[in-house]
Structures are given as C-alpha cells and as structure tokens.
Amino acid sequence: MFDRPRSGERAVLVHIDFSSEQDNDALDELRELALSAGAQPLAEVVANRHSPDPKYFVGSGKAEEIRDVVAANAAEIVIFNHTLSPSQERNLERLFQCRVLDRTGLILDIFAQRAQTHEGKLQVELAQLKHLSTRLVRGWTHLERQKGGIGLRGPGETQLETDRRLIGKRIRALTERLEKVRSQREQGRRARQRNHVPTVALVGYTNAGKSTLFNALTGAAVYQANQLFATLDPTVRRLELPEGGHAVLADTVGFIRHLPHDLVAAFRSTLQETRDADLLLHVVDAGAEERDEYMHTVRDVLEQIGAHEVPQLLVFNKIDLTGDLPRMDRGAEGEPERVWVSAITGEGFDELRQAIGERLHDETVDGWLQLQPSQGRVRARLFDLGAVREEREDEQGGWQVHVRLPLREYRQLCARESLDATLQERLH
C-alpha cells in the first residue's frame, strides 16, 4: 500500500527547460504562484532536458539530487512547474518521502483559496474533481484487484471503483448546477441587450492590474493585491461614459501560461461574459519584461474560449512605474487602439473613457430599416433582440423600423436571414 505524505508549506521548486520550449523566465512565475498559494520556497532546482523521463519526469540522477535538496531543507512539498502524470507523481513521492504537486494542482489550490461566490466554489470543485479523477491510482494500489479464494474475496466493488463512481456522480451534479447558473447569467445578459446596454469586459494576464483598474473606473471595492489570481469571481458594475452614456464593465479571472484545460472548461460559464462582450479591454502591465509574451498568452486563451473575434482595446497599465505619459494611440483608420494609463493615480482615465465611448459607438448600428411584408420573421427577430426603437407601417404593408443593436449582432442577423447588401444600405 502507498500512503501519500501529508503536505506542508516548506517547498522546493523545480523547473525544467526543454529544448522545444521557451520558458526560461517561467521560474519567476512559479515562485509567485507558490507564494500566492501560501508556500514558503526554500530552494529551487533547475535542469535542462530534451524530453520528460517516463518514470521521474526529470531523470533518476536529477530526482536523487532533488531528494537530497528536500532532505537538506526539511522540505514538506516539492512543486513542479509542469504537468506530471499520476505515475510520475507517485514515483517521485515515494523517492522524496514528501508531497509532490504539479503546476495544475498548484493553480487549482490557489483558485480554491480565492473562490468566494457560490458559482466560483462550484467551478473550482468541478475542476478539482476532474483533475483528481485521473489520479485515483494513488493511495489505493492495494485495492486495484479483487482477491480470490476463501476468506480473501472482495466486497464486490473495489475502493478504487467506488471512488470513481462517487466522483463521477458528483461531477454530473456540479455540471447540472453550473448549467442553471449559466442560464441565470444568460437571462441577465439578454436583459442588458434588451435595454441596449453595451458590455465591456476586462481581460489580461494575471497581476496586470485589472481589479485595480476596475475599482478605479467604477468605484467598486473588488479585492486587489500584488499577487497572482488575487480575484477569481467575476464582478459586473456600471461604467459611466462621456456624453452621458454608460456601459456594463465586467472584471474576469486573470489568464496565465499553460492554463489547465480543466479550469478553462469549468470556468466557461464565467468566461461567457468575455465571449458576449461588445468590447474587450486587454489590460497589459506596461513595465513587464515579458509583456509581449503575456499578450500572446492572453490571445491564445481568448481563442480557446471563442472570444478572439471580439473587438479589443489595449490598455497599458502601470505607467506610474514606467515613466510613460498618458495618451491614446489611434490606428490607420483613426479608431482608438491603445491607451496608456495608471490605475493607481488615475492618469489616462479621460483618454480611456473617450476611447471606450468611441469604440462602442463605432460598433453599434443605429438607424431606420425598411422591411418588406414578406420579412415578418426579420421584424420578429429584431423585437426579440430588443433592437426596435420605433416602428411605422408603410403603404405597401411593410415596415420602417428604427433599430439600434451591436454591429456584430446585426451582421449575424443579415447572414442568418440572407439579407442582401441593398437592405443593409437602407440604414441611414
């Protein structure tokens, strides 16, 4: 029988550079993750390999070296900056005689600490159970087979099978409950669409200052701290715009390299706010040495969740630390593309609000639409979307409809109903 060692806070960090990867700066991020989880890093081990070792991931020689480091520092846990297989974790724990945690397990632990709302806790538990379901071989090797013979027959179902069945049942229950939460969120989104309230979502690499910016723009009191994943649960607040308009601003969970797939799947309902937004504010730490790599990571995650086609406005934050001046950069066609701000001092907020207002205005269709008597289905769909502001019947039995809706939804409607170009040109 293999009993897993208990975990503690005294940690040894391990990072391996593979020839096919470019993660030379990832050890700093691992250190921040460990600190965010409450660990106390005592030592760090770095090595180079061409490919992972099937048994120990790091090779037998390096594994023994790590064992010596663990013993010398009286460490209670070894944290790998990589995804380990269940057998690799089990082999390493037997060798080190202490708990071994991989990158996915570390991030899951941080998320479990950060979740505050009912939905967030459900999402974290779902991700943890999916991760655990692949690692049930640990601790139950003595029950992997049913014994035969007189006095040695098992109860009919091994403990491993029982655990798998119970975890599967709990996963199904959590999935159903999260689906109900998703439906409630969808109702809220439809209500905002009917009221013609545009949605702006904050996205960015974790610790880029999204929550600080969110609080400063909306007057909210979302928890903020200089640590990874300081906030987890999504928050929605009203955002006042120039010329008397307003929008809904949503703060979302920060992204990170190699974000576990289970987390992306579990938080899909939360990230729906990102996919359905009219505009994304991609917040970037202007002073980060790896800011281009972080921006690339955010784009990758947005593509994973299907939000890569949502219009983006780059917001370079923390200019109070870089010495940059607040400004707004425009693209070739004159639309705002980048804004340089400081969420701490408020510098650049006027430019940011102006840029958001311009981008939302540019992404909205507002005008009169001529519909023929045969296009009653299009008219009904416009009412369903809450896009009709005013309507007049014409002498031919058709309708002149004043509509206002996001450009993206209007284009989707035109494609779905096979509306021709001449119809679109009747907007004025």
Side-chain angles (χ1 to χ4, degrees):
M1 177 179 177
F2 170 60
D3 292 321
R4 296 201 64 190
R6 293 185 178 273
S7 183
E9 298 180 352
R10 299 169 59 85
V12 171
L13 309 182
V14 179
H15 174 72
I16 309 300
D17 282 328
F18 295 99
S19 57
S20 60
E21 299 182 359
Q22 299 295 327
D23 283 342
N24 295 327
D25 61 317
L27 185 59
D28 292 337
E29 185 172 271
L30 174 63
R31 191 182 303 112
E32 290 188 42
L33 285 170
L35 292 171
S36 297
Q40 179 185 353
L42 302 174
E44 299 169 353
V45 179
V46 180
N48 295 280
R49 284 187 65 86
H50 292 290
S51 61
D53 177 74
K55 184 176 182 180
Y56 290 126
F57 189 82
V58 294
S60 57
K62 183 58 67 173
E64 292 174 358
E65 177 186 334
I66 298 173
R67 180 192 60 189
D68 295 339
V69 174
V70 169
N73 291 273
E76 300 165 302
I77 185 171
V78 177
I79 302 176
F80 278 73
N81 197 24
H82 312 273
T83 300
L84 302 177
S85 70
S87 61
Q88 288 169 339
E89 279 192 20
R90 186 170 66 252
N91 294 334
L92 289 169
E93 287 183 347
R94 281 174 172 158
L95 179 64
F96 300 158
Q97 291 299 302
C98 72
R99 189 72 178 270
V100 172
L101 194 65
D102 68 356
R103 181 184 177 89
T104 300
L106 178 62
I107 294 176
L108 283 171
D109 184 84
I110 297 172
F111 272 45
Q113 296 180 44
R114 301 286 189 267
Q116 298 295 327
T117 66
H118 176 65
E119 180 186 6
K121 292 176 181 178
L122 290 178
Q123 290 170 326
V124 170
E125 184 181 355
L126 178 60
Q128 287 177 318
L129 288 176
K130 287 184 175 180
H131 182 64
L132 176 63
S133 64
T134 65
R135 283 158 163 73
L136 284 180
V137 294
R138 289 196 306 250
W140 299 109
T141 54
H142 65 303
L143 295 174
E144 285 180 357
R145 295 180 180 177
Q146 298 182 37
K147 297 180 179 180
I150 298 175
L152 293 176
R153 292 186 178 91
E157 182 177 43
T158 66
Q159 184 66 50
L160 179 60
E161 292 167 343
T162 302
D163 285 353
R164 283 177 175 161
R165 177 171 54 81
L166 292 176
I167 286 179
K169 183 178 180 180
R170 180 61 177 167
I171 287 176
R172 289 191 295 272
L174 287 172
T175 302
E176 292 175 0
R177 292 169 68 179
L178 282 171
E179 182 63 25
K180 293 180 181 179
V181 175
R182 187 200 65 80
S183 299
Q184 294 171 353
R185 283 188 173 276
E186 187 63 29
Q187 291 176 0
R189 279 188 286 269
R190 285 198 296 265
R192 292 198 295 268
Q193 290 173 353
R194 286 194 298 270
N195 294 327
H196 316 292
V197 179
T199 300
V200 181
L202 289 168
V203 298
Y205 206 81
T206 183
N207 208 26
K210 297 188 308 303
S211 295
T212 305
L213 182 63
F214 179 85
N215 288 340
L217 286 173
T218 64
V222 173
Y223 176 73
Q224 58 194 55
N226 185 25
Q227 55 181 282
L228 303 187
F229 303 119
T231 54
L232 175 62
D233 300 299
T235 309
V236 178
R237 292 290 187 273
R238 179 187 177 102
L239 173 65
E240 299 295 336
L241 297 176
E243 301 179 1
H246 71 277
V248 169
L249 184 64
D251 188 16
T252 61
V253 62
F255 300 155
I256 197 169
R257 282 175 298 190
H258 311 305
L259 191 66
H261 293 294
D262 287 342
L263 279 179
V264 174
F267 282 79
R268 197 166 295 276
S269 62
T270 299
L271 296 172
Q272 182 77 24
E273 295 285 355
T274 302
R275 292 201 301 274
D276 291 345
D278 299 287
L279 178 66
L280 299 181
L281 299 187
H282 182 171
V283 183
V284 181
D285 183 347
E289 295 181 2
E290 307 84 9
R291 86 178 185 191
D292 291 339
E293 184 179 347
Y294 292 167
M295 293 168 63
H296 180 73
T297 297
V298 172
R299 295 189 189 103
D300 285 345
V301 176
L302 290 175
E303 187 168 0
Q304 287 183 49
I305 64 176
H308 56 291
E309 294 184 355
V310 180
Q312 291 187 35
L313 175 65
L314 285 172
V315 181
F316 288 93
N317 188 26
K318 304 185 181 182
I319 62 172
D320 54 301
L321 302 178
T322 65
D324 290 302
L325 296 177
R327 68 181 189 275
M328 176 172 57
D329 299 336
R330 297 181 179 272
E333 299 181 0
E335 75 283 1
E337 284 190 347
R338 300 178 184 85
V339 183
W340 302 76
V341 305
S342 168
I344 295 294
T345 66
E347 294 176 280
F349 275 20
D350 291 340
E351 291 85 349
L352 178 57
R353 293 181 187 275
Q354 179 184 346
I356 295 173
E358 289 187 28
R359 290 295 297 268
L360 290 177
H361 178 74
D362 290 343
E363 297 296 330
T364 300
V365 171
D366 191 347
W368 288 89
L369 182 64
Q370 177 69 49
L371 296 178
Q372 303 302 320
S374 60
Q375 294 176 314
R377 188 170 69 174
V378 178
R379 173 176 173 269
R381 180 57 180 160
L382 287 170
F383 273 101
D384 288 341
L385 292 172
V388 178
R389 313 291 286 180
E390 185 180 350
E391 180 186 58
R392 295 194 294 259
E393 293 188 9
D394 60 23
E395 297 177 354
Q396 290 75 33
W399 305 273
Q400 292 179 339
V401 185
H402 182 195
V403 298
R404 186 176 188 274
L405 73 168
L407 176 61
R408 181 178 48 162
E409 288 188 9
Y410 179 68
R411 288 172 175 170
Q412 292 174 351
L413 178 66
C414 291
R416 187 182 305 114
E417 302 296 340
S418 301
L419 305 183
D420 56 25
T422 58
L423 180 62
Q424 298 181 47
E425 291 171 0
R426 287 174 185 158
L427 279 169
H428 59 278

mmCIF file of all heavy atoms in Angstrom, residues 195-224:
data_model
loop_
_atom_site.group_PDB
_atom_site.id
_atom_site.type_symbol
_atom_site.label_atom_id
_atom_site.label_comp_id
_atom_site.label_asym_id
_atom_site.label_seq_id
_atom_site.Cartn_x
_atom_site.Cartn_y
_atom_site.Cartn_z
ATOM 1 N N ASN A 195 -32.187 46.291 -23.064
ATOM 2 C CA ASN A 195 -32.089 47.683 -22.617
ATOM 3 C C ASN A 195 -30.996 48.449 -23.351
ATOM 4 O O ASN A 195 -30.682 49.588 -22.985
ATOM 5 C CB ASN A 195 -31.824 47.728 -21.107
ATOM 6 C CG ASN A 195 -32.995 47.189 -20.315
ATOM 7 O OD1 ASN A 195 -34.143 47.344 -20.709
ATOM 8 N ND2 ASN A 195 -32.704 46.546 -19.190
ATOM 9 N N HIS A 196 -30.393 47.805 -24.351
ATOM 10 C CA HIS A 196 -29.369 48.445 -25.189
ATOM 11 C C HIS A 196 -28.156 48.908 -24.384
ATOM 12 O O HIS A 196 -27.587 49.974 -24.629
ATOM 13 C CB HIS A 196 -29.958 49.643 -25.940
ATOM 14 C CG HIS A 196 -31.295 49.372 -26.550
ATOM 15 N ND1 HIS A 196 -31.458 48.508 -27.590
ATOM 16 C CD2 HIS A 196 -32.527 49.840 -26.240
ATOM 17 C CE1 HIS A 196 -32.745 48.455 -27.922
ATOM 18 N NE2 HIS A 196 -33.412 49.244 -27.106
ATOM 19 N N VAL A 197 -27.774 48.114 -23.380
ATOM 20 C CA VAL A 197 -26.605 48.451 -22.563
ATOM 21 C C VAL A 197 -25.410 47.642 -23.055
ATOM 22 O O VAL A 197 -25.411 46.413 -22.934
ATOM 23 C CB VAL A 197 -26.854 48.160 -21.068
ATOM 24 C CG1 VAL A 197 -25.618 48.507 -20.247
ATOM 25 C CG2 VAL A 197 -28.070 48.934 -20.571
ATOM 26 N N PRO A 198 -24.403 48.272 -23.628
ATOM 27 C CA PRO A 198 -23.232 47.527 -24.107
ATOM 28 C C PRO A 198 -22.409 46.980 -22.950
ATOM 29 O O PRO A 198 -22.409 47.538 -21.840
ATOM 30 C CB PRO A 198 -22.440 48.566 -24.898
ATOM 31 C CG PRO A 198 -22.863 49.881 -24.316
ATOM 32 C CD PRO A 198 -24.287 49.714 -23.889
ATOM 33 N N THR A 199 -21.707 45.884 -23.185
ATOM 34 C CA THR A 199 -20.887 45.241 -22.167
ATOM 35 C C THR A 199 -19.419 45.347 -22.542
ATOM 36 O O THR A 199 -19.038 45.065 -23.681
ATOM 37 C CB THR A 199 -21.266 43.760 -22.010
ATOM 38 O OG1 THR A 199 -22.636 43.664 -21.629
ATOM 39 C CG2 THR A 199 -20.421 43.089 -20.941
ATOM 40 N N VAL A 200 -18.602 45.745 -21.577
ATOM 41 C CA VAL A 200 -17.152 45.821 -21.734
ATOM 42 C C VAL A 200 -16.529 44.873 -20.722
ATOM 43 O O VAL A 200 -16.867 44.919 -19.535
ATOM 44 C CB VAL A 200 -16.634 47.259 -21.516
ATOM 45 C CG1 VAL A 200 -15.125 47.326 -21.705
ATOM 46 C CG2 VAL A 200 -17.337 48.229 -22.451
ATOM 47 N N ALA A 201 -15.636 43.991 -21.157
ATOM 48 C CA ALA A 201 -15.018 43.011 -20.268
ATOM 49 C C ALA A 201 -13.521 43.270 -20.159
ATOM 50 O O ALA A 201 -12.849 43.520 -21.170
ATOM 51 C CB ALA A 201 -15.267 41.590 -20.765
ATOM 52 N N LEU A 202 -13.017 43.219 -18.933
ATOM 53 C CA LEU A 202 -11.579 43.340 -18.690
ATOM 54 C C LEU A 202 -10.932 41.963 -18.802
ATOM 55 O O LEU A 202 -11.372 41.010 -18.159
ATOM 56 C CB LEU A 202 -11.319 43.894 -17.292
ATOM 57 C CG LEU A 202 -11.652 45.365 -17.047
ATOM 58 C CD1 LEU A 202 -11.608 45.668 -15.563
ATOM 59 C CD2 LEU A 202 -10.694 46.261 -17.794
ATOM 60 N N VAL A 203 -9.903 41.863 -19.624
ATOM 61 C CA VAL A 203 -9.133 40.626 -19.725
ATOM 62 C C VAL A 203 -7.660 40.992 -19.630
ATOM 63 O O VAL A 203 -7.274 42.152 -19.802
ATOM 64 C CB VAL A 203 -9.406 39.872 -21.051
ATOM 65 C CG1 VAL A 203 -10.869 39.469 -21.152
ATOM 66 C CG2 VAL A 203 -9.001 40.718 -22.257
ATOM 67 N N GLY A 204 -6.835 40.004 -19.360
ATOM 68 C CA GLY A 204 -5.408 40.273 -19.288
ATOM 69 C C GLY A 204 -4.692 39.211 -18.488
ATOM 70 O O GLY A 204 -5.314 38.365 -17.826
ATOM 71 N N TYR A 205 -3.382 39.259 -18.552
ATOM 72 C CA TYR A 205 -2.554 38.337 -17.779
ATOM 73 C C TYR A 205 -2.736 38.645 -16.300
ATOM 74 O O TYR A 205 -2.937 39.790 -15.908
ATOM 75 C CB TYR A 205 -1.089 38.507 -18.179
ATOM 76 C CG TYR A 205 -0.249 37.267 -17.966
ATOM 77 C CD1 TYR A 205 -0.262 36.235 -18.900
ATOM 78 C CD2 TYR A 205 0.548 37.117 -16.838
ATOM 79 C CE1 TYR A 205 0.498 35.096 -18.715
ATOM 80 C CE2 TYR A 205 1.307 35.980 -16.642
ATOM 81 C CZ TYR A 205 1.285 34.971 -17.592
ATOM 82 O OH TYR A 205 2.025 33.835 -17.405
ATOM 83 N N THR A 206 -2.688 37.607 -15.486
ATOM 84 C CA THR A 206 -2.899 37.813 -14.059
ATOM 85 C C THR A 206 -1.866 38.787 -13.484
ATOM 86 O O THR A 206 -0.709 38.794 -13.895
ATOM 87 C CB THR A 206 -2.839 36.464 -13.304
ATOM 88 O OG1 THR A 206 -3.130 36.692 -11.920
ATOM 89 C CG2 THR A 206 -1.487 35.804 -13.445
ATOM 90 N N ASN A 207 -2.316 39.609 -12.570
ATOM 91 C CA ASN A 207 -1.493 40.621 -11.913
ATOM 92 C C ASN A 207 -1.136 41.789 -12.832
ATOM 93 O O ASN A 207 -0.164 42.501 -12.583
ATOM 94 C CB ASN A 207 -0.198 40.018 -11.350
ATOM 95 C CG ASN A 207 0.321 40.794 -10.145
ATOM 96 O OD1 ASN A 207 -0.454 41.435 -9.454
ATOM 97 N ND2 ASN A 207 1.617 40.739 -9.923
ATOM 98 N N ALA A 208 -1.947 41.994 -13.877
ATOM 99 C CA ALA A 208 -1.727 43.152 -14.747
ATOM 100 C C ALA A 208 -2.391 44.404 -14.201
ATOM 101 O O ALA A 208 -2.184 45.495 -14.733
ATOM 102 C CB ALA A 208 -2.248 42.860 -16.162
ATOM 103 N N GLY A 209 -3.192 44.260 -13.137
ATOM 104 C CA GLY A 209 -3.853 45.415 -12.533
ATOM 105 C C GLY A 209 -5.298 45.578 -12.953
ATOM 106 O O GLY A 209 -5.848 46.678 -12.855
ATOM 107 N N LYS A 210 -5.951 44.492 -13.389
ATOM 108 C CA LYS A 210 -7.335 44.587 -13.858
ATOM 109 C C LYS A 210 -8.289 45.018 -12.741
ATOM 110 O O LYS A 210 -9.142 45.888 -12.948
ATOM 111 C CB LYS A 210 -7.803 43.246 -14.435
ATOM 112 C CG LYS A 210 -7.044 42.784 -15.657
ATOM 113 C CD LYS A 210 -7.680 41.563 -16.280
ATOM 114 C CE LYS A 210 -7.906 40.450 -15.285
ATOM 115 N NZ LYS A 210 -6.659 40.028 -14.602
ATOM 116 N N SER A 211 -8.174 44.393 -11.572
ATOM 117 C CA SER A 211 -9.098 44.706 -10.482
ATOM 118 C C SER A 211 -8.898 46.127 -9.964
ATOM 119 O O SER A 211 -9.858 46.817 -9.611
ATOM 120 C CB SER A 211 -8.923 43.700 -9.334
ATOM 121 O OG SER A 211 -9.294 42.405 -9.750
ATOM 122 N N THR A 212 -7.650 46.583 -9.916
ATOM 123 C CA THR A 212 -7.381 47.970 -9.515
ATOM 124 C C THR A 212 -8.008 48.936 -10.507
ATOM 125 O O THR A 212 -8.626 49.938 -10.120
ATOM 126 C CB THR A 212 -5.868 48.212 -9.423
ATOM 127 O OG1 THR A 212 -5.275 47.256 -8.549
ATOM 128 C CG2 THR A 212 -5.574 49.611 -8.902
ATOM 129 N N LEU A 213 -7.859 48.638 -11.805
ATOM 130 C CA LEU A 213 -8.457 49.471 -12.841
ATOM 131 C C LEU A 213 -9.979 49.425 -12.743
ATOM 132 O O LEU A 213 -10.656 50.454 -12.883
ATOM 133 C CB LEU A 213 -7.987 48.993 -14.214
ATOM 134 C CG LEU A 213 -8.475 49.789 -15.423
ATOM 135 C CD1 LEU A 213 -7.956 51.217 -15.367
ATOM 136 C CD2 LEU A 213 -8.040 49.119 -16.727
ATOM 137 N N PHE A 214 -10.525 48.238 -12.500
ATOM 138 C CA PHE A 214 -11.978 48.070 -12.381
ATOM 139 C C PHE A 214 -12.519 48.929 -11.231
ATOM 140 O O PHE A 214 -13.518 49.636 -11.385
ATOM 141 C CB PHE A 214 -12.288 46.595 -12.145
ATOM 142 C CG PHE A 214 -13.749 46.285 -11.992
ATOM 143 C CD1 PHE A 214 -14.550 46.071 -13.103
ATOM 144 C CD2 PHE A 214 -14.324 46.184 -10.734
ATOM 145 C CE1 PHE A 214 -15.898 45.774 -12.972
ATOM 146 C CE2 PHE A 214 -15.667 45.885 -10.588
ATOM 147 C CZ PHE A 214 -16.459 45.676 -11.710
ATOM 148 N N ASN A 215 -11.861 48.872 -10.082
ATOM 149 C CA ASN A 215 -12.300 49.663 -8.925
ATOM 150 C C ASN A 215 -12.230 51.159 -9.215
ATOM 151 O O ASN A 215 -13.129 51.920 -8.846
ATOM 152 C CB ASN A 215 -11.452 49.327 -7.711
ATOM 153 C CG ASN A 215 -11.750 47.942 -7.149
ATOM 154 O OD1 ASN A 215 -12.796 47.374 -7.408
ATOM 155 N ND2 ASN A 215 -10.808 47.397 -6.392
ATOM 156 N N ALA A 216 -11.148 51.575 -9.853
ATOM 157 C CA ALA A 216 -10.958 52.999 -10.117
ATOM 158 C C ALA A 216 -11.989 53.530 -11.116
ATOM 159 O O ALA A 216 -12.462 54.664 -10.989
ATOM 160 C CB ALA A 216 -9.544 53.248 -10.639
ATOM 161 N N LEU A 217 -12.369 52.715 -12.087
ATOM 162 C CA LEU A 217 -13.311 53.160 -13.113
ATOM 163 C C LEU A 217 -14.750 53.153 -12.626
ATOM 164 O O LEU A 217 -15.564 53.977 -13.056
ATOM 165 C CB LEU A 217 -13.198 52.278 -14.358
ATOM 166 C CG LEU A 217 -11.968 52.481 -15.244
ATOM 167 C CD1 LEU A 217 -11.907 51.415 -16.329
ATOM 168 C CD2 LEU A 217 -11.967 53.873 -15.874
ATOM 169 N N THR A 218 -15.095 52.209 -11.738
ATOM 170 C CA THR A 218 -16.491 52.020 -11.356
ATOM 171 C C THR A 218 -16.793 52.407 -9.911
ATOM 172 O O THR A 218 -17.957 52.455 -9.531
ATOM 173 C CB THR A 218 -16.900 50.553 -11.561
ATOM 174 O OG1 THR A 218 -16.135 49.718 -10.673
ATOM 175 C CG2 THR A 218 -16.649 50.116 -13.000
ATOM 176 N N GLY A 219 -15.749 52.630 -9.096
ATOM 177 C CA GLY A 219 -15.979 52.910 -7.688
ATOM 178 C C GLY A 219 -16.330 51.675 -6.888
ATOM 179 O O GLY A 219 -16.855 51.776 -5.771
ATOM 180 N N ALA A 220 -16.048 50.490 -7.441
ATOM 181 C CA ALA A 220 -16.334 49.243 -6.742
ATOM 182 C C ALA A 220 -15.261 48.992 -5.688
ATOM 183 O O ALA A 220 -14.302 49.743 -5.547
ATOM 184 C CB ALA A 220 -16.406 48.078 -7.732
ATOM 185 N N ALA A 221 -15.429 47.897 -4.959
ATOM 186 C CA ALA A 221 -14.476 47.549 -3.898
ATOM 187 C C ALA A 221 -14.023 46.110 -4.052
ATOM 188 O O ALA A 221 -13.965 45.356 -3.090
ATOM 189 C CB ALA A 221 -15.100 47.770 -2.530
ATOM 190 N N VAL A 222 -13.692 45.729 -5.283
ATOM 191 C CA VAL A 222 -13.204 44.373 -5.534
ATOM 192 C C VAL A 222 -11.826 44.211 -4.902
ATOM 193 O O VAL A 222 -10.988 45.114 -4.960
ATOM 194 C CB VAL A 222 -13.132 44.103 -7.058
ATOM 195 C CG1 VAL A 222 -12.464 42.762 -7.340
ATOM 196 C CG2 VAL A 222 -14.523 44.128 -7.651
ATOM 197 N N TYR A 223 -11.585 43.049 -4.295
ATOM 198 C CA TYR A 223 -10.291 42.805 -3.640
ATOM 199 C C TYR A 223 -9.163 42.904 -4.650
ATOM 200 O O TYR A 223 -9.239 42.392 -5.760
ATOM 201 C CB TYR A 223 -10.289 41.414 -3.005
ATOM 202 C CG TYR A 223 -8.950 41.046 -2.391
ATOM 203 C CD1 TYR A 223 -8.509 41.639 -1.208
ATOM 204 C CD2 TYR A 223 -8.121 40.107 -2.995
ATOM 205 C CE1 TYR A 223 -7.298 41.307 -0.642
ATOM 206 C CE2 TYR A 223 -6.902 39.758 -2.436
ATOM 207 C CZ TYR A 223 -6.495 40.364 -1.269
ATOM 208 O OH TYR A 223 -5.278 40.039 -0.722
ATOM 209 N N GLN A 224 -8.099 43.592 -4.270
ATOM 210 C CA GLN A 224 -6.945 43.745 -5.146
ATOM 211 C C GLN A 224 -5.679 43.579 -4.317
ATOM 212 O O GLN A 224 -5.599 43.996 -3.165
ATOM 213 C CB GLN A 224 -6.956 45.122 -5.820
ATOM 214 C CG GLN A 224 -6.963 46.287 -4.837
ATOM 215 C CD GLN A 224 -7.312 47.599 -5.497
ATOM 216 O OE1 GLN A 224 -8.330 47.745 -6.148
ATOM 217 N NE2 GLN A 224 -6.435 48.583 -5.307
#
